[in-house]
């Protein structure tokens, strides 16, 4: 079964940066809309950024201008560059294939914890 593997999270001070990586076990990144989601404690997951197979990109309003999603098809990897991090960005981040409804398709891995705190 295909599972994504996320990495790159950690503890960072407000205003800092992190780069998350997500690699698929088979070649799915280039063929699908891939998204980064996040889930904070006690909250529903939220689609933060999506990159489609044709290259179009969308972000949730709260991260526009601060986060950047990209993809390396040759490495079957999708990235999320996060700059100017805020405490409210604290969550478990995971990547997945994005379905037509915007919900994750179910290929996510364990996720990676991002904590923004001074």
């Amino acid at each position: 079964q295909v599972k994504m593997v996320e990495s790159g999270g950690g503890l960072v001070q407000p205003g800092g940066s992190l780069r998350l990586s997500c690699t698929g076990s088979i070649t799915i990144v280039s063929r699908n809309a891939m998204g980064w989601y996040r889930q904070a404690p006690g909250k529903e997951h939220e689609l933060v950024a999506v990159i489609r197979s044709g290259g179009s990109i969308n972000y949730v309003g709260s991260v526009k201008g601060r986060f950047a999603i990209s993809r390396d098809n040759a490495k079957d990897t999708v990235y999320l560059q996060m700059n100017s991090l805020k405490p409210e960005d604290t969550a478990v981040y995971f990547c997945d294939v994005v379905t037509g409804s915007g919900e994750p398709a179910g290929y996510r891995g364990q996720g990676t914890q991002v904590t923004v705190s001074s």
Side-chain angles (χ1 to χ4, degrees):
Q1 185 178 4
V2 175
K3 283 294 182 184
M4 311 304 292
V5 178
E6 301 94 347
S7 63
L11 173 63
V12 63
Q13 292 186 342
S17 298
L18 285 172
R19 188 193 193 205
L20 307 184
S21 298
C22 173
T23 301
S25 58
I26 62 172
T27 305
I28 65 171
V29 169
S30 63
R31 300 176 183 176
N32 294 279
M34 297 299 301
W36 280 98
Y37 296 81
R38 65 186 179 188
Q39 187 165 19
K43 294 186 177 181
E44 294 292 320
H45 60 256
E46 174 185 41
L47 178 58
V48 173
V50 57
I51 183 168
R52 298 175 183 82
S53 56
S56 63
I57 292 172
N58 289 102
Y59 300 97
V60 69
S62 59
V63 308
K64 282 183 179 178
R66 300 189 298 122
F67 289 13
I69 189 171
S70 61
R71 182 180 66 210
D72 186 335
N73 293 337
K75 295 182 179 179
D76 203 29
T77 299
V78 61
Y79 303 96
L80 186 68
Q81 177 67 43
M82 305 188 296
N83 300 322
S84 302
L85 282 161
K86 304 175 180 181
E88 51 264 43
D89 294 320
T90 296
V92 173
Y93 286 70
F94 63 93
C95 73
D96 208 329
V97 173
V98 181
T99 65
S101 65
E103 290 299 305
Y107 299 114
R108 61 163 293 183
Q110 294 293 321
T112 186
Q113 176 70 47
V114 172
T115 303
V116 184
S117 175
S118 56

